[in-house]
Amino acid sequence: MTEPPEPPAAAEPSEPGAPTGTSGGTDGPQPGQGTPATGPSLAARVAQRLPRTVSGRATLAGAVVSGLLILAIVFGSRLLHDFDSALLPYAVATVFLAFGVAHRYTVWVSAPGARRLFRNGWRSLFSAENFRTAPTALPRMIATYLGFQKFLGARSHARWAAHQLIFWGCVLAALITFPLTWGWFTFTSGSGSGPGYEMRVWGIKILGFDSLNFIGWVMFHGLDIAAVLVIPGASYFLWRRMKDRGAITGQRFAYDMVPLLALIIISVTGLLLTFSSIFLHGGGYEFLAILHMVSVVFTLIYIPFGKFFHIVQRPAAVGMQLFKYTDRQDDEVFACRRCGEAIDTGPYVENLRGTMRDLELGFDAWAEYCPRCKRVLRGNAYLTQVKKGFK
């Protein structure tokens, strides 16, 4: 039994601007020696002006995305003609949300491992070759990995069901709340009091409905339906966080408990608003509306910096799954160097080794061993090198 071989030493990178080759010459014309008078291209000048640090690039990305969202709100609401000023706090929170998501996403993809995942994943998503050889792979993975999250069902059916309730409830709430907040959707009544209403998108009539029939009830109570879905799902995870020993061991209040409490508070206060308007003739409505608004704004601002950020990361993981799937169709599975057990495809193993090299971990050769053999080799190294010193 031997240790994994040492990876070959990488060539030392040359210093920026250092001469290359063996003749001692330079690779290009020097200033004053035939340099074109036109100077660097526009793309090169723009690249030179971009921030060099990760934090600077992330801040720039956040500013650009939030600026684009503001423009989309202004023009999507027909120069604020359809914008409801009562929803201004929600709209401002979504602008902060856009900035935070773009900022953290940029920081995330700047890490070597995430950058490699990002490139390979999105390259697979937009690969014409993948669409040609496996045209149904992407839709199936979006449905099973993003929509129905079948990988959670393998762990626990109860956790899968609770996660589905939260997922679809939040999706429904987002599809209703964001367009209304931005003034993209409007509901107007020709008589001023109903029951006939029109739903308009960007000022264009899409649907007319009666608020007293089933369709009208669903249109006006969509957020209540979303709340009914979210409450049992979030309550299950909250109960599990308080009772399950495995979940309690590694949990953090701000990271694991606060998101669940925020979802429950938003859902309960939203249902209480409906209860107040129907059964209490508006009693306590203003206080509940403020409490609901504060909870929603807090949650929107919290999303980029807490556990909910995995919602933004998940599409890149779908691309990585597609990357692995398409490679399995074309390449032989890479076998463990010690026991011969299948590990994964050759490109995937090489991708893992490349990530380890980027991180300068110094043990990328271990990617060529299966998990069991890694444990055996690690234990053998301990017995022969560490424990031997105590004899």
Side-chain angles (χ1 to χ4, degrees):
M1 192 184 312
T2 59
E3 293 295 316
E6 291 293 332
E12 292 293 331
S14 58
E15 294 295 329
T20 58
T22 58
S23 62
T26 56
D27 289 335
Q30 298 300 306
Q33 299 179 0
T35 303
T38 56
S41 64
L42 176 62
R45 292 197 299 269
V46 172
Q48 291 174 357
R49 292 172 180 264
L50 291 177
R52 297 295 183 181
T53 63
V54 174
S55 178
R57 292 196 301 268
T59 302
L60 177 61
V64 171
V65 172
S66 57
L68 291 175
L69 177 58
I70 293 174
L71 292 177
I73 293 174
V74 172
F75 290 102
S77 60
R78 298 191 298 166
L79 300 181
L80 302 181
H81 179 269
D82 296 328
F83 186 81
D84 188 350
S85 59
L87 302 179
L88 178 62
Y90 299 98
V92 173
T94 60
V95 174
F96 278 98
L97 169 65
F99 179 90
V101 167
H103 186 282
R104 187 174 176 188
Y105 202 91
T106 304
V107 173
W108 175 58
V109 299
S110 297
R115 181 168 61 246
R116 193 174 286 270
L117 167 70
F118 179 84
R119 288 175 178 174
N120 288 331
W122 287 105
R123 186 183 297 119
S124 298
L125 282 176
F126 296 104
S127 171
E129 180 66 18
N130 289 344
F131 282 109
R132 185 182 63 82
T133 57
T136 62
L138 180 58
R140 283 191 288 108
M141 288 186 179
I142 291 176
T144 59
Y145 198 78
L146 270 186
F148 296 102
Q149 297 118 22
K150 292 181 64 176
F151 62 95
L152 289 174
R155 305 175 188 175
S156 168
H157 293 298
R159 290 176 63 185
W160 173 82
H163 199 279
Q164 283 288 285
L165 290 173
I166 295 177
F167 174 75
W168 291 111
C170 291
V171 167
L172 178 60
L175 291 176
I176 296 173
T177 302
F178 286 168
L180 284 174
T181 299
W182 297 335
W184 293 2
F185 286 5
T186 57
F187 295 92
T188 58
S189 171
S191 62
S193 59
Y197 282 86
E198 295 179 351
M199 184 182 78
R200 295 179 177 271
V201 179
W202 300 315
I204 302 173
K205 179 181 176 181
I206 301 298
L207 176 67
F209 60 92
D210 189 335
S211 61
L212 301 179
N213 60 22
F214 177 75
I215 295 178
W217 186 90
V218 171
M219 296 289 290
F220 282 109
H221 292 275
L223 292 176
D224 293 329
I225 297 173
V228 170
L229 293 175
V230 168
I231 289 175
S235 299
Y236 168 81
F237 282 116
L238 191 62
W239 171 84
R240 183 174 176 272
R241 287 288 173 187
M242 294 187 293
K243 296 295 184 181
D244 186 87
R245 181 175 297 179
I248 293 174
T249 301
Q251 75 181 7
R252 292 169 288 172
F253 179 79
Y255 188 79
D256 296 298
M257 303 292 282
V258 168
L260 299 174
L261 293 172
L263 288 177
I264 293 175
I265 292 173
I266 291 173
S267 302
V268 170
T269 54
L271 290 176
L272 287 177
L273 285 172
T274 302
F275 181 83
S276 173
S277 62
I278 295 177
F279 299 103
L280 302 181
H281 305 289
Y285 193 92
E286 292 183 1
F287 170 76
L288 290 171
I290 294 175
L291 181 60
H292 181 73
M293 179 190 68
V294 170
S295 60
V296 172
V297 169
F298 167 79
T299 303
L300 291 176
I301 297 176
Y302 171 83
I303 284 176
F305 310 103
K307 195 169 187 176
F308 288 150
F309 185 68
H310 75 274
I311 300 171
V312 184
Q313 294 173 307
R314 189 65 64 188
V318 172
M320 197 61 187
Q321 293 296 319
L322 182 63
F323 168 68
K324 295 170 63 175
Y325 173 81
T326 52
D327 282 338
R328 288 194 186 102
Q329 312 306 308
D330 303 327
D331 295 273
E332 295 183 1
V333 176
F334 190 91
C336 174
R337 291 181 56 185
R338 180 176 179 271
C339 67
E341 181 181 351
I343 301 178
D344 216 308
T345 62
Y348 182 78
V349 173
E350 180 55 35
N351 177 75
L352 181 58
R353 294 193 62 174
T355 299
M356 292 183 177
R357 289 193 295 267
D358 292 342
L359 294 171
E360 299 180 355
L361 296 177
F363 50 84
D364 56 284
W366 286 86
E368 299 180 359
Y369 293 83
C370 68
R372 179 180 179 276
C373 289
K374 289 177 185 177
R375 293 192 294 269
V376 171
L377 292 172
R378 187 164 58 245
N380 181 68
Y382 175 81
L383 289 174
T384 58
Q385 299 178 23
V386 179
K387 193 173 182 180
K388 181 180 179 180
F390 292 94
K391 293 182 180 180

